[in-house]
């Protein structure tokens, strides 16, 4: 009961942050190729704050991870800095077999103001700053809510599309199988925007470079 109440309060706060934030920042990118059901984007260098979570459920892991990130942006950092909300909230699924995982990293894109030197999170939040170099991503959009029951199907659709494209052998080898990007508050029920992201090997895609590191 106590956990349910905490999540309800968190969801309301999350909604309020979204409602009252105008001009929400997002990581910058250039679309370098478009297909009917996916596109290839070149993302610029960017800094994120990441919350590692171990859980079977994607939905629960995202809630748990963002709950910690929400505390961080509300001032639970060594500078006591309040940080503006950004989009998307990115949940990266750690590779553990065909489209299945029990480990996740929930990421918050840091606003331009904090890209250079992010405020350090309080130790008890177990958050990690991550620097993402310029890299290419295959992206498939889907509507509705991102749920345990549909994210695997959406990731599989992107995988099939890639196997039928010139980028069939361009998927990057690394920690993450794929990521789910969510752009809307949980209280928005129509015209929702979600995306499946798969990192591509920059050496195999013209105009792309791949580089991910931690501070």
């Amino acid at each position: 009961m106590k956990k349910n109440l905490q999540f309800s309060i968190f969801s309301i706060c999350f909604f309020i942050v979204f409602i009252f934030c105008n001009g929400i920042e997002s990581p910058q990118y250039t679309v370098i190729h478009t297909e009917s059901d996916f596109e290839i984007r070149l993302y610029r260098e960017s800094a994120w704050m990441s919350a590692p979570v171990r859980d079977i459920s994607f939905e629960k892991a995202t809630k748990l991870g963002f709950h910690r990130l929400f505390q961080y942006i509300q001032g639970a950092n060594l500078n006591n800095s309040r940080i503006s909300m950004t989009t998307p909230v990115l949940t990266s699924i750690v590779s553990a077999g065909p489209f299945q995982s029990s480990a996740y990293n929930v990421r918050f894109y840091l606003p331009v103001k904090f890209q250079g030197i992010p405020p350090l999170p309080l130790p008890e939040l177990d958050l990690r700053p991550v620097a993402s170099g310029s890299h290419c991503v295959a992206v498939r959009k889907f509507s509705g809510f991102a749920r345990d029951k549909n994210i695997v199907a959406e990731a599989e659709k992107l995988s099939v599309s890639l196997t039928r494209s010139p980028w069939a052998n361009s998927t990057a080898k690394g920690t993450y199988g794929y990521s789910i990007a969510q752009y809307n508050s949980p209280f928005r029920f129509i015209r929702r925007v979600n995306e499946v992201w798969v990192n591509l090997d920059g050496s195999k895609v013209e105009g792309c470079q791949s580089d991910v590191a931690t501070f």
Side-chain angles (χ1 to χ4, degrees):
M1 175 69 77
K2 185 176 180 181
K3 283 190 174 181
N4 289 336
L5 179 60
Q6 288 176 336
F7 275 130
S8 296
I9 294 172
F10 157 69
S11 295
I12 292 170
C13 292
F14 181 60
F15 173 65
I16 291 172
V17 168
F18 259 106
I19 288 297
F20 291 99
C21 282
N22 295 317
I24 291 179
E25 293 182 38
S26 297
Q28 296 184 325
Y29 65 87
T30 301
V31 177
I32 64 172
H33 186 84
T34 302
E35 294 284 339
S36 60
D37 56 350
F38 74 95
E39 64 186 24
I40 306 296
R41 298 175 184 170
L42 172 60
Y43 276 90
R44 300 182 184 178
E45 294 180 355
S46 57
W48 301 67
M49 191 60 65
S50 179
V53 182
R54 295 199 65 85
D55 203 285
I56 294 298
S57 167
F58 158 83
E59 293 177 59
K60 187 176 178 182
T62 300
K63 287 179 181 178
L64 290 170
F66 190 77
H67 181 62
R68 286 148 54 195
L69 290 165
F70 184 77
Q71 293 179 69
Y72 169 73
I73 69 175
Q74 289 299 296
N77 54 73
L78 298 185
N79 296 354
N80 296 315
S81 297
R82 304 270 292 192
I83 301 171
S84 299
M85 187 61 202
T86 63
T87 59
V89 173
L90 188 69
T91 303
S92 296
I93 291 84
V94 177
S95 298
F99 303 105
Q100 305 207 3
S101 177
S102 59
Y104 303 83
N105 276 288
V106 184
R107 295 186 178 189
F108 171 83
Y109 171 71
L110 291 161
V112 172
K113 178 180 178 181
F114 297 106
Q115 282 286 306
I117 305 178
L120 293 176
L122 296 183
E124 58 266 30
L125 294 180
D126 188 25
L127 302 179
R128 302 168 188 174
V130 174
S132 179
S134 175
H135 66 291
C136 273
V137 179
V139 178
R140 173 186 169 84
K141 293 181 181 292
F142 65 100
S143 59
F145 286 88
R147 303 293 197 197
D148 291 315
K149 62 184 180 183
N150 67 344
I151 62 164
V152 173
E154 295 295 338
E156 288 175 337
K157 289 175 184 177
L158 178 56
S159 178
V160 170
S161 296
L162 286 171
T163 60
R164 297 172 178 171
S165 77
W167 298 278
N169 299 312
S170 300
T171 303
K173 305 296 182 184
T175 304
Y176 304 118
Y178 61 98
S179 301
I180 302 296
Q182 300 183 71
Y183 290 84
N184 306 114
S185 90
F187 288 85
R188 179 167 181 168
F189 298 99
I190 60 173
R191 298 177 182 174
R192 296 185 59 82
V193 178
N194 312 288
E195 296 171 342
V196 183
W197 290 11
V198 172
N199 289 337
L200 299 180
D201 183 345
S203 67
K204 297 181 180 180
V205 181
E206 186 177 353
C208 296
Q209 294 180 336
S210 184
D211 183 20
V212 178
T214 57
F215 283 102

